[in-house]
Amino acid sequence: MYQIEILPRTLHFKQPAGTSRGIYTTRQVWYLKVTDPQSGRTGIGECAPLPALSCDDLPDYEAILASHCQEVAQTGQINLDKLRPYPSMLFGLETALRHLKSGSVRLWDTPFSQGKVGIPINGLIWMGNFEEMYHRIEEKMKAGFRCIKVKIGAIDFQKELELLGHIRNHFSPEQIELRVDANGAFAPEEALTRLEALHQFHLHSIEQPIRAGQWQEMKRLCSETPFPIALDEELIGVNDTKQKIELLETIRPQYIILKPSLHGGLAGSAEWIRLAEERNIGYWITSALESNIGLNAIAQWCATLNPVLPQGLGTGLLFTDNIDYPFAIEGDCLRFHPEQPEPDFETFLANE
Ligand SMILES: O=C(O)CCC(=O)C1=CC=C[C@@H](O)[C@@H]1C(=O)O
């Protein structure tokens, strides 16, 4: 049916990307090149598990990926049940087959891929010392972002409050929407006090205030919090429909955040959205720091959802050795330029 090549690649961050969970300096990914020998067409997808975070961050990752690719190459189909526990592999295969089908990196025909509308995005402030974060915030404010996400949980909490205060001294909640991401850094017993301290800055939401896997504590927080809580790491590894329903009905978060590479590929993420909407739980989509191949696929898919909230898709400039794609951050939107040439996959994939 198809030929599928697995092409490992290590990408390099321009600057260390810090979160309360650790600092990224390189990014290991696997590109899938699917070729249809009959038409000669190819489709490219990206498998990008995050180390020590993804549920499929496994020592024998490449061997498992090869066995799934072999089955897809023979049948031309993706077996969702088999791939549910491997979201980053599922995402790579889904998007490679979609690219093969569409024949262009305009994976779906949307006003976004037609270049008519942009996807609103948040500016991302990575961890650093107070001065570094202060400077990064200034840059994002100058660049015209209407939504800024600040990573918290790694430097002194009072200093983090000072940083948020600095933004509010310059911009009202109407001018800039403020989000924070704790990546699970708060201890359950201190979390509510910290949420109350953060509330003075009129925040849109906080991502993952306490470590994942503490459903009863998270449930209490979501019912007592002064502003919305969004679950991120909490969803990782919850790939079964019944489990997803149990999580949403137990914790009752205000939002969930979906990273297709971590949260079930496109199919699993679409299921999370359906289950969340049935329970009046909001959502938004973010990258998992893929290269532009994965980022484009997430953006193209996100555009089919007609996003209104700012999405976490502003990660296309992180790497020194990324592939050029016909999209760019313009103001506070990600914009696609169909008039520009298709990416040069041959040269990019040939480079080790
Ligand atoms: O949300 C965004 O603006 C971009 C994505 C993002 O922040 C992350 C992606 C992957 C891992 C993390 O470092 C981080 C997150 O925790 O959300």
Side-chain angles (χ1 to χ4, degrees):
M1 183 82 188
Y2 299 137
Q3 284 143 10
I4 304 184
E5 286 170 79
I6 300 175
L7 305 159
R9 176 68 58 95
T10 303
L11 301 160
H12 301 80
F13 282 84
K14 287 174 184 167
Q15 292 169 355
T19 80
S20 61
R21 264 196 330 270
I23 295 177
Y24 300 113
T25 54
T26 61
R27 184 83 171 85
Q28 180 62 43
V29 303
W30 289 262
Y31 296 116
L32 303 181
K33 183 176 177 185
V34 179
T35 304
D36 176 354
Q38 286 193 331
S39 65
R41 280 162 66 139
T42 61
I44 312 287
E46 179 173 351
C47 303
L50 275 169
L53 189 60
S54 289
C55 62
D56 53 356
D57 171 33
L58 304 163
D60 51 351
Y61 184 91
E62 216 165 306
I64 299 170
L65 178 59
S67 69
H68 286 299
C69 286
Q70 197 178 12
E71 186 174 326
V72 172
Q74 279 158 5
T75 64
Q77 305 284 329
I78 290 178
N79 180 328
L80 274 180
D81 290 335
K82 273 195 181 160
L83 274 154
R84 258 182 200 275
Y86 308 103
S88 65
M89 300 179 195
L90 174 54
F91 175 73
L93 285 162
E94 286 170 321
T95 51
L97 292 184
R98 182 74 204 178
H99 184 206
L100 181 70
K101 186 159 180 265
S102 67
S104 136
V105 292
R106 292 184 59 213
L107 301 184
W108 283 273
D109 187 27
T110 60
F112 170 73
S113 68
Q114 292 160 11
K116 292 190 179 125
V117 299
I119 298 175
I121 60 172
N122 60 266
L124 177 59
I125 307 298
W126 289 102
M127 271 289 122
N129 61 37
F130 181 85
E131 285 68 33
E132 285 166 336
M133 293 181 77
Y134 190 100
H135 175 67
R136 289 171 188 156
I137 289 168
E138 294 272 315
E139 280 180 341
K140 293 292 181 212
M141 292 199 285
K142 279 200 201 96
F145 279 92
R146 278 181 293 128
C147 177
I148 291 180
K149 161 178 169 173
V150 180
K151 294 271 177 191
I152 61 172
I155 67 172
D156 174 66
F157 188 61
Q158 289 314 315
K159 282 288 185 191
E160 289 170 343
L161 295 178
E162 224 178 286
L163 283 170
L164 298 169
H166 170 65
I167 300 174
R168 279 291 170 249
N169 290 342
H170 288 75
F171 294 96
S172 69
E174 292 68 41
Q175 292 168 308
I176 284 196
E177 176 180 298
L178 256 184
R179 300 175 180 175
V180 293
D181 183 357
N183 291 115
F186 299 164
E189 59 278 7
E190 69 179 357
L192 195 54
T193 314
R194 293 204 166 188
L195 293 176
E196 278 148 6
L198 288 163
H199 186 43
Q200 64 186 299
F201 303 114
H202 307 285
L203 303 185
H204 167 272
S205 56
I206 180 168
E207 294 182 28
Q208 202 67 40
I210 62 173
R211 183 178 45 70
Q214 309 176 92
W215 287 19
Q216 291 311 318
E217 287 84 354
M218 190 67 93
K219 172 186 175 180
R220 179 177 56 80
L221 279 180
C222 288
S223 64
E224 296 175 12
T225 184
F227 63 98
I229 288 175
L231 301 183
D232 181 348
E233 289 87 339
E234 200 72 58
L235 312 181
I236 297 173
V238 181
N239 299 316
D240 167 75
T241 309
K242 260 178 79 239
Q243 270 188 312
K244 290 178 181 178
I245 293 171
E246 199 191 340
L247 182 153
L248 294 175
E249 303 221 337
T250 304
I251 299 178
R252 289 272 164 203
Q254 287 74 27
Y255 291 100
I256 59 172
I257 295 165
L258 295 168
K259 297 171 165 56
S261 287
L262 277 68
H263 298 132
L266 300 182
S269 300
E271 182 179 52
W272 273 118
I273 291 170
R274 177 175 61 76
L275 296 171
E277 286 183 333
E278 285 167 4
R279 293 162 179 80
N280 291 322
I281 295 170
Y283 73 89
W284 69 87
I285 312 294
T286 90
S287 81
L289 317 183
E290 296 87 352
S291 75
N292 284 342
I293 293 176
L295 179 60
N296 176 66
I298 297 167
Q300 299 278 340
W301 173 68
C302 179
T304 66
L305 306 167
N306 303 313
V308 177
L309 291 177
Q311 312 288 305
L313 302 175
T315 54
L317 302 171
L318 290 175
F319 304 112
T320 59
D321 39 13
N322 209 335
I323 180 173
D324 292 337
Y325 250 68
F327 59 64
I329 297 175
E330 293 164 19
D332 64 351
C333 278
L334 187 68
R335 282 194 172 273
F336 188 81
H337 291 280
E339 75 285 0
Q340 291 176 9
E342 290 276 314
D344 179 0
F345 292 110
E346 207 153 324
T347 307
F348 177 73
L349 294 175
N351 294 342
E352 281 314 315

